Amino acid sequence: MKPLFQDDSELLTRLKSHDNVAFELIYRRYWQHLFDFAFLKTHDADVSEEIIQDLFVTVWEKRESLQVKNLRAYLFTAVRNRVIDHYKEKIFSELDTIEPPEAPEYSFFLEELEATMQNSIASLPDKTQRIFLLNRFEGKTVRQISADLNLPERTVEYHISQALRVLKVLLKEFIALCLVAFSSSIF
C-alpha cells in the first residue's frame, strides 16, 4: 500500500491548509529523530522533550506563513537553535544567582590609579607630555599632531612611544600592587 503522503513538500502544502493529518504525519515522522538530536546535545530528557514540543507548537501556529523548502533541515536547525537558546538561558540564570565576592573599595583604587597616572604623566618632559596628551586624551592622530606642532610625524611617534615606555615602567608597580590586592580580596 502506498503511503498517504509521499514527501515533505506535499505535507507542507497540506499543513498550510490546516490539515491535521499532515501535521500528525510530520510529528510522527520527525519527533523521535528530533528528540534524539536534542537529547544528544542537552543530556536531559525533560529539556529535550520540551524543546521538541515547543517546536511543534510553533510549527502548527505558524503553519500558514512557513516558508520552508526542506522540512527536515528546517526542523533540525530549529532544534539546534532552541538548544543554544536553552544554554544561553541556563548560563544567564546561573549568573544571576552568583553573589559577587566581598570586593575592596574599587573607587579608592580608581582614585589611586588616576592620581598615579597624573603624576606619571606630569613626570614626562614637556614636549613628550604635550604630544601624549594630544594623542591619548584628545584623540588626535599622529598626522594631526604633526601639523599642529609643526613637527615631523616620526618625531611625534617617537614622543608617543617614549611616553608609553615611561608610563609602563612607572605604573607597573602600582598595577602589581592592585592585582595583589584584588586577588587577595576575591579569594
Side-chain angles (χ1 to χ4, degrees):
M1 181 173 170
K2 186 177 173 183
L4 186 59
F5 300 112
Q6 288 293 334
D7 63 6
D8 290 345
S9 62
E10 187 177 346
L11 286 173
L12 284 168
T13 302
R14 292 185 176 262
L15 178 66
K16 286 184 180 188
S17 302
H18 302 263
D19 187 333
N20 292 344
V21 174
F23 177 76
E24 187 176 333
L25 285 170
I26 292 170
Y27 184 86
R28 289 178 189 272
R29 184 177 288 178
Y30 287 105
W31 190 92
Q32 188 64 53
H33 297 294
L34 295 170
F35 175 83
D36 292 344
F37 179 68
F39 185 76
L40 182 68
K41 303 297 182 188
T42 63
H43 306 289
D44 187 325
D46 292 334
V47 169
S48 300
E49 189 172 326
E50 185 178 325
I51 287 171
I52 305 309
Q53 296 301 345
D54 184 51
L55 170 61
F56 278 109
V57 167
T58 302
V59 166
W60 178 253
E61 289 173 346
K62 296 184 177 185
R63 64 192 173 278
E64 293 174 1
S65 62
L66 281 178
Q67 300 295 321
V68 176
K69 294 193 189 297
N70 183 333
L71 181 60
R72 180 179 174 78
Y74 169 79
L75 293 172
F76 277 92
T77 300
V79 169
R80 186 196 75 213
N81 291 338
R82 288 166 194 263
V83 167
I84 291 169
D85 291 343
H86 162 73
Y87 279 115
K88 284 181 187 175
E89 246 179 59
K90 185 177 176 182
I91 288 169
F92 285 116
S93 68
E94 288 174 2
L95 286 176
D96 288 342
T97 62
I98 295 174
E99 290 293 323
E102 287 290 323
E105 186 62 40
Y106 289 112
S107 61
F108 171 76
F109 286 109
L110 292 176
E111 290 169 9
E112 287 294 315
L113 176 61
E114 185 175 349
T116 303
M117 183 75 162
Q118 287 176 355
N119 291 338
S120 299
I121 291 171
S123 71
L124 296 171
D126 290 339
K127 185 184 260 183
T128 304
Q129 181 183 49
R130 184 168 182 217
I131 290 171
F132 179 78
L133 291 173
L134 287 170
N135 179 253
R136 295 296 198 227
F137 289 91
E138 293 183 27
K140 292 192 174 198
T141 64
V142 170
R143 180 169 283 154
Q144 290 171 326
I145 297 168
S146 173
D148 289 349
L149 300 180
N150 198 22
L151 293 171
E153 288 182 22
R154 298 279 287 158
T155 302
V156 172
E157 290 171 352
Y158 168 79
H159 283 285
I160 293 170
S161 64
Q162 284 300 103
L164 291 171
R165 187 181 57 75
V166 169
L167 290 174
K168 181 179 176 183
V169 171
L170 293 174
L171 294 174
K172 189 175 186 179
E173 185 176 318
F174 176 79
I175 291 171
L177 289 173
C178 286
L179 290 174
V180 168
F182 286 140
S183 64
S184 66
S185 68
I186 291 174
F187 300 109

